[in-house]
Amino acid sequence: MQRMGMVIGVKPEAIAEYKRLHATGSAEVNALLSACGVRNYSIYLREPENLLFGYWEYHGADWPADAARLDKEPAIRAWLGQTDPCQQPIASAAPGEWWSPMEEVFHLD
């Protein structure tokens, strides 16, 4: 299992919409994530900085392949079409980076 953390900004005017989308969610997207080994997925909001922190545990053997599979799924593309307009990369994001990966510096089981 590999733990993954990532961060992105959320537009202040889009916070209510982002919360609404995730309150109802998408059963199809959730099933696809699970099929690709994503477990224990959570997203946290930090205000007033307007940051989203995402965390999940990957229970697969090849994350790049599973991520590529997810990227091709129409339901995922449609979901991102709704959520991406609410988000914005953080100032330190690499060119072309959306959610920015974070380094795990501590874990307690």
Side-chain angles (χ1 to χ4, degrees):
M1 185 270 293
Q2 178 183 357
R3 290 180 294 276
M4 299 177 147
M6 56 197 174
V7 66
I8 195 166
V10 61
K11 297 173 184 173
E13 67 276 11
I15 290 173
E17 174 66 3
Y18 194 80
K19 287 181 177 182
R20 186 194 67 76
L21 287 167
H22 285 83
T24 56
S26 167
E28 185 176 3
V29 168
N30 293 346
L32 288 165
L33 289 167
S34 293
C36 287
V38 175
R39 306 279 185 278
N40 198 23
Y41 188 5
S42 299
I43 299 174
Y44 297 86
L45 170 63
R46 170 64 185 189
E47 291 182 276
E49 295 88 349
N50 302 323
L51 294 174
L52 297 171
F53 165 70
Y55 169 85
W56 70 56
E57 295 167 354
Y58 175 64
H59 293 261
D62 186 350
W63 173 243
D66 283 328
R69 176 183 166 200
L70 288 168
D71 283 343
K72 294 177 187 170
E73 292 287 346
I76 298 288
R77 302 300 325 146
W79 178 252
L80 295 177
Q82 295 176 69
T83 59
D84 282 3
C86 299
Q87 303 166 342
Q88 57 192 10
I90 60 173
S92 61
E97 185 174 73
W98 196 245
W99 281 85
S100 297
M102 300 172 72
E103 176 187 0
E104 180 180 324
V105 296
F106 175 78
H107 177 79
L108 174 67
D109 278 324

